[in-house]
Amino acid sequence: QNKIPKSHSSHFHHNFQPRSLVIPTIHKRYIKMKISLLALASLAFSANAFSTINTQKTGASIADQLKDRAYVTRDIKMPDPVPEEGQKEALELMKSGKMYRYNIAKGEESVVSMCEKEICDYTGFKYCVGLNSCGSALMLLLKTTGLQPGGKVLSNAFTFGAVPSAIEHARGKAVYVESNADHVMNTVDLEKKLKENPDCKHVLISHMRGKLADMDKVAEICEKYDAILLEDCAHSLGVFWQGEHSGHKGIACGISSQSYKMINSGEGGFLLTDDEEIAAQAAVIAGAYESLNSKHGTVPGPEYFEGKSVELPNYSIRMSNIAAAVIRPQIKTLEPRIELYNKRYNALTAKLEAAVGDHLYIPQLTPGVTRMVHDSVQFNLDHKFTPAMVEEFLKECGDHGLPVELFGHKSNARNFVNWGFAPAEDPLPETAAMLTTACDCRMPLQWDDEDFEDLGNVIIESIQSVLAKHDML
């Protein structure tokens, strides 16, 4: 049930049209010609010339070669569109007004319930509760597993600010574990922090950008110190560990359907588990008051709900039928979309390695990851890049149409120094050093292959330009 599902290729090709939102070819080429002098740039920066600068040349000659630069003309923030099937179902729901998941007659099944069942089928979990966000799912993971006010929760020092926010929401206290150059949790530091905090009974590991740490080792350490392991799988839908969907090493996990994730409903999330008590509590706290649990299809039997609607609060954080309607057809196209993402990522990173591999490091997958989902690319600039040079690189990229983000930027919500609501009390030197040169770039599915040629060239040329300016190439 939880093996990699078969591709829905015929459905995908019918509904997914990468060129439906692209700039018309003539207009697009006109833009490129106007901005980057295509007639010259196509000669200087062809597919076989990613490493375009002859390092034996003088500085003046290098500058001459960089006059005609690649330029990105597409929107990097372009999310995946909702398939027509989802648009139609959402419209019908709006026409009927039945957008509330419990507004169904006896014996009927809500759109949310159908969506929850399909998520269970894809990920291999028994129980699923649809929510308004993955942040709500993470908060519920903690509340339904016994976190007490002020209770410590170990989590990644490198993650999105929504993770420590969920810990704060659950009235816990975040304690941070170092993240390494591969952007995953350092398991040595995990054990060190559990030794130093014997009263900590929760570990919430975040699979940032879909990257998994050594989950066998993480589970082993948590068991050794009697800590409950929970997984933030917001970025790891479709990622497999040892042939099993991510999230199964812990007792429960959360996934996301926020716009920049693999399934897009604007906002949304799911709590997934095989544990009856967690599932029942999550459903009630989400909003299954009185006997509304009977209108769920992926929760345990009624005996697990006895007395809970009186004992537990109702936070009203349910998923709506509208969100579920736009998600459902996207589940069907996950496999072919993942295949395309990975194909493009592999081509892009191979070219980056070949051209500027001595000047950057691309995080490596942890052995044990049997299927990755590369819907974005990350790389660490070499440490010869000073902070000023890193800023120059980012400006070079931005000036050529590619807004590359620095995880360690002073305003980035993924930089732990910006979590004033849940500050780190101890130094985190390994994470801090990694963040200073860790770059992030989305890979929109609606782009064409030639757009990723532009993206790769902009990164390569920007690195080369900065290094040439400092006589370091």
Side-chain angles (χ1 to χ4, degrees):
Q1 182 183 18
N2 54 6
K3 293 182 179 179
I4 299 176
K6 294 180 179 178
S7 171
H8 300 273
S9 56
S10 61
H11 182 97
F12 171 73
H13 290 301
H14 177 72
N15 287 280
F16 173 63
Q17 300 175 342
R19 288 192 168 269
S20 61
L21 296 178
V22 305
I23 298 171
T25 303
I26 294 175
H27 178 58
K28 182 175 178 183
R29 288 180 180 168
Y30 171 74
I31 292 172
K32 288 185 179 179
M33 186 179 297
K34 188 174 181 180
I35 295 173
S36 59
L37 300 175
L38 179 61
L40 295 175
S42 61
L43 293 173
F45 300 107
S46 66
N48 295 321
F50 264 82
S51 183
T52 56
I53 295 178
N54 183 342
T55 58
Q56 303 302 314
K57 300 277 188 177
T58 65
S61 179
I62 291 170
D64 289 341
Q65 293 180 62
L66 283 168
K67 283 181 180 178
D68 298 314
R69 296 277 297 274
Y71 199 98
V72 171
T73 61
R74 304 292 297 277
D75 179 10
I76 199 74
K77 295 290 188 181
M78 182 184 292
D80 290 356
V82 175
E84 186 176 350
E85 178 185 342
Q87 297 175 34
K88 289 180 177 179
E89 186 166 15
L91 181 60
E92 290 303 314
L93 286 167
M94 287 187 279
K95 287 178 178 178
S96 70
K98 294 184 177 181
M99 294 174 282
Y100 176 48
R101 73 165 297 166
Y102 298 130
N103 190 3
I104 53 174
K106 187 175 181 180
E108 290 183 344
E109 188 175 26
S110 74
V111 180
V112 179
S113 290
M114 289 187 279
C115 186
E116 290 165 337
K117 175 65 167 58
E118 289 158 358
I119 291 290
C120 281
D121 290 343
Y122 186 83
T123 59
F125 283 93
K126 289 172 64 177
Y127 306 121
C128 178
V129 178
L131 301 162
N132 63 350
S133 73
C134 186
S136 292
L138 301 184
M139 178 272 293
L140 286 180
L141 292 180
L142 295 165
K143 290 192 71 71
T144 59
T145 53
L147 179 68
Q148 298 301 307
K152 295 178 180 178
V153 181
L154 292 188
S155 192
N156 310 49
F158 170 52
T159 185
F160 184 53
V163 178
S165 295
I167 296 171
E168 191 275 341
H169 190 183
R171 301 178 66 189
K173 177 180 173 58
V175 178
Y176 302 109
V177 180
E178 292 273 28
S179 296
N180 62 28
D182 293 315
H183 299 185
V184 299
M185 182 180 281
N186 182 327
T187 56
V188 173
D189 195 52
L190 171 62
E191 183 159 19
K192 176 176 176 286
K193 294 290 170 61
L194 281 170
K195 282 181 180 178
E196 294 172 350
N197 297 274
D199 54 337
C200 176
K201 296 304 176 187
H202 287 80
V203 172
L204 175 56
I205 188 167
S206 178
H207 304 314
M208 188 62 177
R209 292 296 186 263
K211 295 175 171 60
L212 274 58
D214 184 341
M215 291 309 297
D216 290 341
K217 187 65 175 178
V218 169
E220 176 188 318
I221 293 170
C222 288
E223 184 175 3
K224 179 179 178 180
Y225 292 92
D226 195 28
I228 297 168
L229 176 58
L230 304 165
E231 298 185 54
D232 166 25
C233 297
H235 291 247
S236 65
L237 182 64
V239 178
F240 281 69
W241 176 263
Q242 304 286 15
E244 186 175 46
H245 196 281
S246 59
H248 284 271
K249 299 303 292 187
I251 193 171
C253 74
I255 65 172
S256 176
S257 62
Q258 188 267 350
S259 274
Y260 296 134
K261 305 303 188 297
M262 287 300 297
I263 47 177
N264 171 21
S265 63
E267 293 288 352
F270 300 88
L271 184 149
L272 296 161
T273 186
D274 291 334
D275 184 275
E276 287 82 3
E277 187 62 26
I278 292 173
Q281 286 190 44
V284 171
I285 297 174
Y289 58 90
E290 296 173 349
S291 59
L292 289 176
N293 59 283
S294 64
K295 295 190 175 185
H296 283 252
T298 54
V299 297
E303 65 274 16
Y304 289 96
F305 287 86
E306 291 181 7
K308 281 187 170 54
S309 63
V310 176
E311 299 164 2
L312 298 172
N314 169 9
Y315 288 169
S316 296
I317 51 176
R318 300 168 289 259
M319 176 173 280
S320 74
N321 278 336
I322 292 288
V326 301
I327 289 170
R328 292 185 65 211
Q330 296 177 62
I331 299 171
K332 299 175 184 177
T333 65
L334 274 170
E335 290 304 299
R337 287 190 288 127
I338 290 169
E339 183 179 355
L340 181 56
Y341 271 127
N342 289 348
K343 178 183 176 182
R344 287 172 166 175
Y345 175 89
N346 291 336
L348 173 62
T349 53
K351 291 172 181 177
L352 292 178
E353 290 275 15
V356 288
D358 292 340
H359 309 305
L360 56 73
Y361 172 76
I362 296 173
Q364 301 298 295
L365 295 183
T366 306
V369 175
T370 48
R371 209 271 293 276
M372 181 59 183
V373 178
H374 293 292
D375 61 344
S376 60
V377 62
Q378 293 75 44
F379 53 90
N380 305 335
L381 293 172
D382 188 84
H383 285 293
K384 63 175 166 278
F385 280 76
T386 64
M389 291 171 69
V390 172
E391 287 299 321
E392 290 172 18
F393 165 75
L394 298 175
K395 186 176 186 304
E396 285 279 347
C397 290
D399 287 348
H400 293 84
L402 183 65
V404 174
E405 293 193 11
L406 179 71
F407 284 131
H409 193 274
K410 60 183 179 181
S411 64
N412 197 309
R414 298 147 196 88
N415 186 345
F416 65 86
V417 301
N418 293 318
W419 303 338
F421 54 88
E425 295 184 352
D426 298 313
L428 295 160
E430 183 179 17
T431 307
M434 177 269 286
L435 291 174
T436 60
T437 63
C439 298
D440 182 42
C441 189
R442 296 192 70 246
M443 297 181 64
L445 193 72
Q446 299 302 298
W447 282 19
D448 297 310
D449 289 345
E450 66 185 73
D451 298 309
F452 291 99
E453 293 287 327
D454 294 338
L455 183 152
N457 278 329
V458 168
I459 292 172
I460 291 165
E461 294 163 14
S462 295
I463 288 174
Q464 291 173 333
S465 177
V466 172
L467 292 174
K469 177 182 175 182
H470 292 271
D471 296 321
M472 296 173 67
L473 193 62

